[in-house]
Amino acid sequence: MKQPNSKSKLVRALIWTSGTLGGLVLIYMIAMNMMMAQMNSEVPTDLDYSTTRFSENGLFNVSYIASTGTVPVNQLHQWTLHIETPDGQPVENATITLDGDMPQHGHGLPTQPRVTKNLGNGDYLVDGMKFQMGGWWVMDFNVTANGQTDSVHFNMMLKQ
Ligand SMILES: [Cu+2]
């Protein structure tokens, strides 16, 4: 006749627990490694730093000028965005949303800049621009005009 073996139950429970914990630790370590690898990754050598770029699907030709000339670090400033069609016609009455981030650091902007003024002739004022550190930044603009949306990305290497 067999007796319920509470000792082996306990052992099994311990094995299960340590296995689960070990698995979690492993997942955590892999995630940390991936994060570190991303942070230590080199800036791609083939980045396009142009201030005039076509949107992803080629719908808009977009350029920017910073109110300060060169884009500063740790200084609130404005951008003027100019949007044209591929054949050079200014894009009027566009709706624009934007966001910026540092791909190597996994953080974004310290402010929430937005388009505050339609200046006409395809020009739009972006207020509240600020970059809190030097390095590689990417600014993303989503442009909707004439019922079509496209996004454009500007790479910047800011010097502190
Ligand atoms: Cu950063």
Side-chain angles (χ1 to χ4, degrees), residues 85-124:
T85 59
D87 59 354
Q89 298 303 309
V91 174
E92 311 269 7
N93 302 314
T95 304
I96 303 157
T97 59
L98 55 137
D99 204 3
D101 77 296
M102 294 189 86
Q104 293 171 293
H105 298 178
H107 68 75
L109 298 163
T111 56
Q112 290 177 326
R114 61 197 65 197
V115 172
T116 54
K117 213 177 216 175
N118 182 348
L119 301 169
N121 198 37
D123 287 344
Y124 301 85

Side-chain angles (χ1 to χ4, degrees), residues 54 58-62 83-92 146:
F54 271 101
L59 294 182
F60 308 114
N61 192 10
V62 185
I83 307 176
E84 290 182 356
T85 59
D87 59 354
Q89 298 303 309
V91 174
E92 311 269 7
N146 308 319

